[in-house]
Amino acid sequence: MYNPVMNEKPLQWIASSYKDLMALPRGVRRLFGHALSLAQAGRSHVATKVLKGFGGAGVLE
């Protein structure tokens, strides 16, 4: 049986990214949290798009 928590990739915060996220309004934090949780499970949020400028490296924003 698939367990998303056990198959979840670790999340690493870089520089002030966590502090910056916590400074946003609660609703925005919840949306970002949901999108990050999906990404950790190998899925993507409907608002996810390819970040341009990385030569097709598959970087998402």
Side-chain angles (χ1 to χ4, degrees):
M1 181 159 116
Y2 176 74
N3 183 342
V5 174
M6 299 217 25
N7 297 319
E8 179 174 283
K9 294 179 182 175
L11 182 63
Q12 292 185 326
W13 298 98
I14 299 174
S16 66
S17 57
Y18 180 77
K19 185 179 102 180
D20 296 341
L21 179 64
M22 291 298 110
L24 296 172
R26 183 171 189 246
V28 176
R29 289 194 318 259
R30 289 178 54 93
L31 177 70
F32 272 84
H34 178 65
L36 288 169
S37 179
L38 288 171
Q40 285 180 274
R43 299 170 58 203
S44 61
H45 188 272
V46 295
T48 302
K49 55 186 173 180
V50 176
L51 186 62
K52 296 186 185 342
F54 286 88
V59 178
L60 303 175
E61 63 172 331

